[in-house]
Amino acid sequence: MDFVDLHSHSTASDGTLAPAAVVRLAKELGLTALALTDHDTIAGLAEAHAEAASLGVDFLPGIEVSCEIPRPGTMHVLGYGVGSNSPVLRQMSESLIAARDDRNPRIIRRLNELGVDITLADVEAKAGGGVVGRPHIAAVLVQKGIVPTTQSAFDRYLGQGGAAYFDKERLERGQAMQLIRAAGGLPVLAHPVQLRMADEAMVEKTVKELVDLGLAGLEVIHSDHSPTDVERFSRLADRLGLIKTGGSDFHGANKKNIQLGMANGYRIPRAFFDNILERLPARV
Ligand code: AMP
Ligand code: FE
Ligand code: FE
Ligand code: ZN
């Protein structure tokens, strides 16, 4: 049986492997297809696509964007099949990065006020260009020995309730769906468990609302999903006629417990990739 990974991050956002290196790893692991889904950017897609073409790995260009949702939940939407040169996504990406350029210095300033010795230059060096986010700040805090692990960096400083937490700009749900559709892609709700909704009825209501806004699929296999989650989200996807997708959410050394192609013990069947391709709007 052939396996794939449809959710991965590179140095274009908060992963630690370059786009081409993620593709090489997929090849080494015997995966037959890969989607690169960096946060807020399509900057890694061209490099990954070229490497995939030369290695004979099927490549699905992607992106992951964050939407407004009440705390403590998070709502991430994957866009599959987006153009790697899409003007609408480039523009969106620029505006989200500009918002981060506003937020990152505030986080650093607060850390300095708390007596933590860290500079924006440290963080930018860690990120190596592209989207600069909290995982890069966390990595510097670990490297400097200020906290022992990434998790403790988020718990103590960077996460909701942390001493240096600042919110980030997110898209409205309809806006996210429209942008992805306008870029020729299919919007898929990532890791629905992270919505952290009180009950099944609430999840179903939310997903139905997203469908009305243009949602095409549901990520049913993910590293944060228990076997029960995989089963309940698969049933929900089937009931609502949504495409089922899956991925590890690989981030390289920024999420050390996640291996490419593996999601909490599950591998991702090739059919998930084929189903997306089948549903993608034809390119003109
Ligand atoms: P940002 O986009 O800068 O707000 O950072 C969000 C990213 O940080 C997420 O996509 C995750 O990759 C990572 N992240 C969030 N919470 C945690 C956590 N508790 N531990 C490790 N990584 C996290
Ligand atoms: Fe991330
Ligand atoms: Fe996500
Ligand atoms: Zn992700």
Side-chain angles (χ1 to χ4, degrees):
M1 191 159 169
D2 284 355
F3 295 101
V4 304
D5 196 330
L6 303 177
H7 191 157
S8 67
H9 296 266
S10 75
T11 47
S13 68
D14 57 354
T16 56
L17 294 188
V22 180
V23 176
R24 282 196 293 275
L25 181 58
K27 175 76 182 177
E28 278 165 33
L29 294 171
L31 303 179
T32 63
L34 177 81
L36 184 68
T37 54
D38 275 307
H39 300 282
D40 299 352
T41 185
I42 51 176
L45 297 181
E47 178 188 315
H49 199 166
E51 188 71 10
S54 83
L55 294 178
V57 174
D58 288 325
F59 183 69
L60 182 61
I63 190 168
E64 181 175 24
V65 296
S66 307
C67 293
E68 288 296 346
I69 182 182
R71 287 187 199 186
T74 56
M75 181 185 282
H76 291 177
V77 177
L78 298 158
Y80 287 119
V82 294
S84 53
N85 221 339
S86 160
V88 286
L89 287 189
R90 276 187 193 286
Q91 202 180 13
M92 176 212 69
S93 186
E94 273 169 30
S95 112
L96 291 173
I97 290 173
R100 287 174 177 279
D101 287 344
D102 198 45
R103 173 205 201 200
N104 289 326
R106 287 159 71 194
I107 300 176
I108 301 298
R109 223 174 302 136
R110 176 62 55 82
L111 285 170
N112 294 157
E113 285 163 13
L114 293 165
V116 176
D117 177 25
I118 182 173
T119 66
L120 191 57
D122 294 334
V123 176
E124 285 170 348
K126 188 52 106 181
V131 175
V132 183
R134 290 180 293 164
H136 305 115
I137 304 177
V140 173
L141 293 176
V142 172
Q143 191 180 3
K144 285 176 176 272
I146 291 155
V147 289
T149 60
T150 308
Q151 188 55 50
S152 55
F154 274 89
D155 291 346
R156 197 160 153 202
Y157 294 115
L158 304 172
Q160 280 177 24
Y165 177 73
F166 289 92
D167 216 349
K168 103 181 142 183
E169 176 160 321
R170 297 184 185 83
L171 302 175
E172 293 301 332
R173 298 169 196 193
Q175 205 185 357
M177 304 296 153
Q178 276 169 25
L179 278 165
I180 291 165
R181 292 274 183 185
L186 292 174
V188 169
L189 179 63
H191 41 64
V193 76
Q194 288 183 20
L195 297 171
R196 295 181 61 180
M197 292 195 158
D199 55 50
E200 289 293 301
M202 193 64 197
V203 175
E204 176 146 354
K205 177 170 174 286
T206 304
V207 174
K208 278 182 174 159
E209 286 167 3
L210 291 174
V211 171
D212 290 339
L213 294 170
L215 189 75
L218 203 58
E219 189 176 50
V220 300
I221 298 179
H222 182 272
S223 294
D224 287 349
H225 287 180
S226 68
T228 313
D229 292 330
V230 174
E231 203 188 308
R232 71 190 172 111
F233 293 132
S234 295
R235 269 189 272 119
L236 180 60
D238 288 340
R239 205 157 60 235
L240 300 181
L242 292 166
I243 311 170
K244 287 175 282 202
T245 77
S248 64
D249 213 346
F250 176 74
H251 280 69
N254 277 343
K255 290 194 180 172
K256 292 196 174 62
N257 51 347
I258 297 179
Q259 302 298 311
L260 193 68
M262 254 314 155
N264 195 22
Y266 286 81
R267 292 199 284 176
I268 298 99
R270 165 85 193 191
F272 281 15
F273 170 82
D274 294 334
N275 291 341
I276 296 176
L277 279 207
E278 225 165 75
R279 292 272 286 270
L280 269 180
R283 288 248 187 277
V284 275

